[in-house]
Amino acid sequence: MSLENFDDLLAESRRQAEPQRLLLVFAQAELPPDATVDEREAFKRGEGGALAPSVCVDKLPEEIGTFAALIDEARSIGVHWDVIFVAAMGGRGGHAPNSDEAVQPLRMMVEQIKGGRIGRFLCVDRQGQLVQLQRAG
């Protein structure tokens, strides 16, 4: 299984033995108010900053359709984002988890992102490509 973009992820989630529910956290890059001049310059070049969750949602893969459809939906409700973090919940007995079952895992996901613990999640850029983020050292 080789995933390169969000649509590959959707296709793979639909092929799983048990139905899936996708957990999506839209995040935007931001600088802290006390950022240095160098940090501000790097941020202008698209480097540095922190990713802050702005909106989270759970959806069945069938409810998304394509990456383009997801982005159109986000745009229509005014969501600003730079990356999307994605996780999946597997179903049982042929039934996908419902939205109520996704509430706590989504909350935990948001808290992990706030704390910089993002290694467990797929990350998708604005073009729908899977990306790997690196921590500034």
Side-chain angles (χ1 to χ4, degrees):
M1 165 179 72
S2 175
L3 301 177
E4 293 183 22
N5 58 51
F6 188 83
D7 288 328
D8 289 348
L9 170 68
L10 282 176
E12 186 61 33
S13 68
R14 292 178 183 131
R15 284 193 288 268
Q16 296 302 301
E18 291 290 347
Q20 305 285 300
R21 179 164 292 276
L22 298 178
L23 307 178
L24 309 164
V25 178
F26 292 77
Q28 58 187 349
E30 61 181 29
L31 272 177
D34 62 345
T36 66
V37 172
D38 288 343
E39 289 170 332
R40 290 181 189 287
E41 289 300 317
F43 190 74
K44 286 180 187 175
R45 292 189 306 271
E47 301 168 7
L51 291 168
S54 54
V55 171
C56 61
V57 65
D58 64 279
K59 288 189 172 281
L60 298 173
E62 297 76 24
E63 294 174 319
I64 297 173
T66 64
F67 180 72
L70 178 66
I71 299 320
D72 285 345
E73 182 180 347
R75 188 177 306 120
S76 74
I77 60 172
V79 175
H80 175 74
W81 63 280
D82 294 301
V83 296
I84 305 170
F85 291 102
V86 184
M89 295 176 63
R92 294 180 306 279
H95 299 283
N98 64 43
S99 281
D100 290 340
E101 293 172 295
V103 170
Q104 186 60 30
L106 263 175
R107 283 185 187 144
M108 291 171 52
M109 192 173 169
V110 166
E111 290 306 313
Q112 289 175 341
I113 293 166
K114 286 179 180 178
R117 296 180 309 277
I118 58 173
R120 304 177 69 196
F121 312 120
L122 292 177
C123 184
V124 181
D125 68 12
R126 293 187 66 82
Q127 289 72 46
Q129 298 303 305
L130 299 183
V131 295
Q132 186 171 5
L133 300 176
Q134 296 179 354
R135 244 180 204 262

